[in-house]
Amino acid sequence: MRNNTPVDNLLVLIAILASATGYGFYFRARSGRLKATTKKGATAVISCITPVEMGTEFGSVATLLQFSSAFCAPCRATKVLLGEVAKDHPGVVHVVLDAESHLELVRRLKIISTPTTLILDPKGHEVGRAVGAPRREQVAAALHALR
Amino acid sequence: MSSMLKASVQIDARGARFGALITAIVFSVALVTQSPALIMWQAAVFAIGAFRGPQFTPYAVIFRSVVKPRLKSNPIFEDVRPPKFAQAVGLVFTIIALIGSLLGSSVVFSVAVAAALAAAFLNFAFNYCLGCQFYLLGVRLVSPRNSKITLEVK
């Protein structure tokens, strides 16, 4: 391939910055949004976890199961936020697991990035999940819907 | 407590973000001028950031001496490990770009620089966290999976 001219490279630069900006807005809009987990037979069974695996009992209303990692900046803020939410809502338990040391669970629950928060019903079935740092009102609304 | 063991260095997140801005500018100029010298410079900066920490790079020095005194906002303290991870990923991409340049392939050079530029730009403009998106994925790919049997028993 012949060497590009600076003008060609400038066009490439503009294209990269434009697509990165587009992706950035898409990413920002999607990040932390809580999605209800659809129960389609097998999916509901797979998205199930035992108290032993989690290291604690399920909350009587819900469990906020957060997967974190040391290389994730927003994980800490999410941990603080969900801890406060759990404190404000009786029957809601907040659990933080280090994703790296629970790889089997991570694979089974199809966790790809951190933070990922699963909302579990009292039986430990996944009813919702948020990929990225969720906002307080989003979590509160999801918990309200569970009652 | 395990949290005591995990206690790590905290840095000003605004400094890391400023560093990402300078990095994005360096990559932009390197892409347009196809300059391996600039990528070599950036690789050296990334090496400092990845091995010693992002708070020791020349960009962090500029931030502390020039930018920080002019900022009105309070410092945002953040764990050093996420930006350190991002610096290591950046180092890998600059090395790929330099290898491409050595082999005379402007395509390899441009693609590697473009990827690193996109990451640095997203980091600066959207506070994008590379470690959040790719660290776990990398661990998942590298470590062997042995969960098949447990799944079948169930």
Side-chain angles (χ1 to χ4, degrees), chain B residues 26-41:
Chain B
V26 169
F27 279 137
S28 299
V29 177
L31 186 71
V32 173
T33 60
Q34 296 280 298
S35 160
L38 273 176
I39 297 303
M40 225 178 274
W41 156 259

Side-chain angles (χ1 to χ4, degrees), chain A:
Chain A
M1 198 182 135
R2 74 183 173 86
N3 272 346
N4 289 341
T5 67
V7 176
D8 290 341
N9 293 327
L10 198 63
L11 292 176
V12 171
L13 173 66
I14 291 166
I16 292 162
L17 292 181
S19 40
T21 304
Y23 176 74
F25 280 117
Y26 164 76
F27 177 79
R28 185 182 273 177
R30 204 192 45 168
S31 180
R33 193 193 289 166
L34 265 155
K35 278 189 185 157
T37 309
T38 45
K39 285 186 180 172
K40 279 184 278 177
T43 323
V45 177
I46 288 167
S47 301
C48 193
I49 172 173
T50 66
V52 177
E53 287 173 311
M54 206 170 68
T56 176
E57 290 296 317
F58 297 122
S60 58
V61 173
T63 304
L64 302 173
L65 176 59
Q66 180 192 343
F67 286 88
S68 283
S69 100
F71 301 97
C72 157
C75 284
R76 212 170 57 133
T78 301
K79 186 179 173 179
V80 172
L81 171 79
L82 296 181
E84 285 170 8
V85 169
K87 213 185 237 176
D88 293 345
H89 295 76
V92 174
V93 170
H94 175 220
V95 184
V96 184
L97 294 182
D98 177 39
E100 203 180 346
S101 48
H102 295 85
L103 276 185
E104 217 169 286
L105 209 52
V106 159
R107 286 199 172 106
R108 177 145 53 89
L109 299 173
K110 297 188 168 65
I111 312 287
I112 292 163
S113 64
T114 55
T116 293
T117 306
L118 308 186
I119 300 184
L120 308 176
D121 70 6
K123 285 176 184 162
H125 293 285
E126 178 186 333
V127 290
R129 84 164 52 189
V131 179
R135 281 182 287 126
R136 188 182 298 269
E137 54 272 23
Q138 293 175 313
V139 185
L143 289 177
H144 189 76
L146 264 180
R147 282 182 193 268

Side-chain angles (χ1 to χ4, degrees), chain A residues 53 102-109, chain B residues 140 143-154:
Chain A
E53 287 173 311
H102 295 85
L103 276 185
E104 217 169 286
L105 209 52
V106 159
R107 286 199 172 106
R108 177 145 53 89
L109 299 173
Chain B
R140 278 184 63 164
S143 76
R145 80 173 39 232
N146 51 7
S147 60
K148 275 238 163 79
I149 299 154
T150 14
L151 268 179
E152 275 160 17
V153 170
K154 278 191 175 177

Side-chain angles (χ1 to χ4, degrees), chain B residues 39-120:
Chain B
I39 297 303
M40 225 178 274
W41 156 259
Q42 187 55 49
V45 172
F46 276 149
I48 299 170
F51 292 108
R52 283 201 69 198
Q55 71 273 39
F56 298 107
T57 63
Y59 305 161
V61 174
I62 298 172
F63 174 75
R64 275 196 298 274
S65 57
V66 182
V67 182
K68 201 176 177 183
R70 282 155 225 261
L71 288 178
K72 284 180 186 129
S73 61
N74 291 321
I76 306 157
F77 287 106
E78 208 176 70
D79 194 308
V80 76
R81 287 172 293 183
K84 213 172 170 179
F85 175 80
Q87 300 272 305
V89 173
L91 179 60
V92 171
F93 276 94
T94 49
I95 290 171
I96 293 171
L98 288 175
I99 292 172
S101 170
L102 273 177
L103 298 177
S105 166
S106 69
V107 175
V108 171
F109 179 86
S110 295
V111 169
V113 172
L117 165 64

